[in-house]
Amino acid sequence: MAIEIDNAAFERCVREYGGAVYRVAWAYSLSRDASDDVFQETFMALWRSGKPFADEEHVRRWLLRVAAYKSKDSLRSASRRLRRDAPLDEAIEGSLAAPADPEADEEVWSLVAKLPEDMRAAVVMHYCEGYSTEEIADACGCAHATVRTRLLRARRKLEKMLGEVRPCRNSSTG
Amino acid sequence: MQEFIDRLKAANDRIGPDERLVQSVLKAAEAPAPEDATAANARTPRFRAVSRRGFCAAAAAAALAAVGLGALHVAPALASTRLARPRIVLRDGYVDSVGFEDGRVVVGIRADFSCVDAADRDVAVSVPESGPLALEYEDGTGGDRLEFPAGGSMRGTILIGTDATDEERELLLDGDQPMQYRKLYECLVAADGAEIVVEAEGLRPTAYELRTSHIESWRHLRRKDTVGDFLYIDLVKS
């Protein structure tokens, strides 16, 4: 059944897909400001689209696609780049819902931040959000094979970085 | 590796929009309904050449008119929306004119200004005789004063497809006419770095620099269209 974006449907979409949209933006930018903007702009685009959607899946995919495009656009902006260069702890501040161990989270994001943006987004969307590679390809506007390649390379890079981190830890504790 | 993925997943689960941001977006839905917004935007196709000197002017005006876009307009009317950062919102703004004058692309934007800060407070726009455009709270409490948002950027939007009439949309979306996109792209590229004069009611004209270099190719424009997305063009205060 077609879905018209009226007030009720809009609120439901914000509630239901808001987290996913925000985390896509976060995966690209690792910046609270940029994620806030992308979140806001993505849902404004939904509100202003004025078009019916075929079904829930159509809405969800459309939102992810728009969020990914807007995230990439925001990264291209020079001003956003300046903000992205802000210290990671400052960027993360306020974006986390009471992390149990803020330092552990920061360590994780610091490693992920070393991946190129597209790789980082693919990793987060696939391993954390559970999207299939087809869904990620659709959202990012690239080929399915490209996503798989990005995931493979990201894993290799992460494994290498983790291998470099662990010996240091051992030496410091031992 | 799996251990790291688990930690990443746990950290990612803690990322999300705060409730204030959600509420601010929901507020936007209390403003004009999509039909009304469309009707308001229908006022935006008001491109006219201020002057047609040189190739760029003719090309820009002709291409924009030809594809029936006519919808370069400023940020949507979301005055009630809390913005992520203090930012000027142009309420009910639209492009009044576009053209080429004395070697510059000139876009006249008519708009009512409003601004809210991160705490939802209305901020008045004051225009000093000299110096940068500055903002201050309407109630004047504490002598708070905000400088024009970092970089002084404002954002114009070209709505591709979504604002066009059915006939225009057909022309725009016709896959056999990629030249429409190419023409538009060439015009936008030619206009990169151009000075934009923003003329708002009650405010002195302010110059901005148009940034279009982030538009990679005409295919970029087309891809935007396929997702019903907006293409953003940065106007940076020069």
Side-chain angles (χ1 to χ4, degrees):
Chain A
M1 194 174 80
I3 298 173
E4 298 280 348
I5 303 298
D6 56 15
N7 287 36
F10 181 73
E11 178 164 358
R12 187 177 50 72
C13 288
V14 171
R15 295 286 180 198
E16 191 157 338
Y17 304 119
V21 164
Y22 196 91
R23 286 189 287 274
V24 167
W26 172 264
Y28 274 101
S29 65
L30 296 182
S31 154
R32 182 189 176 199
D33 278 348
S35 302
D36 282 359
D37 281 354
V38 168
F39 176 87
Q40 181 170 275
E41 289 170 12
T42 299
F43 282 105
M44 288 305 95
L46 174 68
W47 177 244
R48 301 194 71 215
S49 67
K51 68 174 187 178
F53 290 86
D55 51 29
E56 282 293 326
E57 182 63 9
H58 187 192
V59 178
R60 190 179 72 88
R61 286 201 176 217
W62 189 92
L63 283 170
L64 290 177
R65 209 179 304 151
V66 172
Y69 275 116
K70 287 189 180 298
S71 299
K72 285 191 272 191
D73 272 357
S74 79
L75 288 175
R76 290 192 191 105
S77 157
S79 59
R80 292 270 165 74
R81 282 185 194 287
L82 287 175
R83 278 191 284 277
R84 199 156 49 85
D85 290 341
L88 190 64
D89 54 348
E90 185 183 309
I92 291 174
E93 187 185 351
S95 297
L96 307 177
D101 184 353
E103 283 184 13
D105 278 6
E106 191 180 334
E107 187 183 34
V108 168
W109 290 121
S110 296
L111 272 179
V112 174
K114 291 175 182 167
L115 296 175
E117 291 136 13
D118 283 333
M119 267 187 212
R120 187 166 67 225
V123 164
V124 171
M125 290 169 82
H126 184 67
Y127 293 117
C128 301
E129 296 290 311
Y131 299 132
S132 68
T133 49
E134 287 88 351
E135 285 177 304
I136 299 170
D138 181 47
C140 299
C142 61
H144 180 201
T146 306
V147 176
R148 287 193 297 188
T149 304
R150 282 176 188 164
L151 285 171
L152 180 67
R153 288 181 179 165
R155 282 187 72 103
R156 284 180 183 160
K157 278 177 181 279
L158 284 170
E159 279 166 358
K160 189 179 174 193
M161 285 189 277
L162 287 168
E164 288 166 359
V165 167
R166 279 178 182 140
C168 294
R169 274 191 181 169
N170 292 338
S171 63
S172 64
T173 53
Chain B
M1 184 64 189
Q2 188 54 48
E3 181 200 344
F4 177 79
I5 295 288
D6 291 342
R7 287 172 61 201
L8 176 61
K9 190 172 186 315
N12 187 65
D13 286 345
R14 289 189 277 272
I15 299 289
D18 66 33
E19 185 57 25
R20 289 190 60 197
L21 180 62
V22 170
Q23 287 298 330
S24 76
V25 169
L26 292 178
K27 269 188 199 173
E30 295 167 4
E35 308 84 64
D36 299 335
T38 304
N41 289 337
R43 298 191 311 142
T44 59
R46 294 184 182 187
F47 285 90
R48 65 178 168 79
V50 172
S51 168
R52 297 193 179 205
R53 295 177 200 168
F55 169 78
C56 288
L64 288 170
V67 297
L69 287 178
L72 173 63
H73 73 161
V74 284
L78 297 172
S80 63
T81 301
R82 184 190 77 86
L83 298 168
R85 290 182 301 282
R87 187 185 298 170
I88 281 187
V89 177
L90 297 179
R91 185 189 296 123
D92 195 23
Y94 60 91
V95 168
D96 182 61
S97 61
V98 62
F100 213 70
E101 198 166 36
D102 298 331
R104 302 179 312 173
V105 175
V106 177
V107 178
I109 297 174
R110 296 276 173 184
D112 296 325
F113 282 85
S114 71
C115 184
V116 291
D117 70 2
D120 273 343
R121 289 180 292 188
D122 287 331
V123 180
V125 180
S126 70
V127 186
E129 285 300 315
S130 61
L133 185 65
L135 309 171
E136 60 186 9
Y137 295 110
E138 279 178 334
D139 61 9
T141 52
D144 287 321
R145 194 172 182 85
L146 300 172
E147 287 302 309
F148 198 85
S153 65
M154 292 206 305
R155 180 166 277 183
T157 307
I158 283 187
L159 296 177
I160 295 183
T162 54
D163 239 14
T165 65
D166 286 346
E167 187 181 344
E168 289 164 344
R169 188 174 292 129
E170 268 184 28
L171 176 65
L172 201 61
L173 297 180
D174 189 338
D176 294 331
Q177 297 186 42
M179 279 304 291
Q180 298 293 351
Y181 292 94
R182 284 184 185 158
K183 274 185 188 172
L184 177 61
Y185 172 66
E186 285 164 11
C187 292
L188 291 172
V189 168
D192 185 41
E195 188 171 273
I196 304 293
V197 178
V198 175
E199 300 167 337
E201 299 281 2
L203 295 175
R204 66 176 180 177
T206 309
Y208 294 85
E209 185 183 330
L210 180 67
R211 300 269 176 85
T212 58
S213 56
H214 61 287
I215 304 169
E216 294 165 339
S217 71
W218 65 271
R219 290 184 183 84
H220 184 121
L221 301 177
R222 193 170 187 181
R223 196 168 66 230
K224 288 291 169 189
D225 182 67
T226 58
V227 296
D229 199 0
F230 304 137
L231 171 72
Y232 288 105
I233 292 178
D234 288 334
L235 296 178
V236 179
K237 194 178 182 190
S238 52

